[in-house]
Amino acid sequence: MTTPRTPARKKVSITLPHDLEARAQLAAGDNFSAYMEQALEEKLINDAMLEYARLRAMDPVDDLYEAAEADAA
């Protein structure tokens, strides 16, 4: 049974270059899975933030706000 504190887990297999795997193992210490989980979470958050910034840059309303602020200054 899983609870909010213990989400379901699935074992996966990945293929890494030897040097990357060795560096990750060294950095992870005795818990490689937790290290990789954190790295993936951080990567997904970073990707989402980049996508949000990209979408915001396409929003013409921002240009209107910036122009109004410049006029007010």
Side-chain angles (χ1 to χ4, degrees), residues 1-10 37:
M1 177 177 170
T2 62
T3 67
R5 292 179 162 211
T6 58
R9 301 282 179 178
K10 180 178 180 180
E37 181 179 348

Side-chain angles (χ1 to χ4, degrees), residues 3 11-12 14-15 20 22 25-26 29 51-53 56-57 70-72:
T3 67
K11 187 171 185 156
V12 297
I14 60 171
T15 302
L20 180 60
Q25 286 284 7
L26 184 62
E51 179 64 6
Y52 176 77
R56 288 288 307 219
D71 286 344

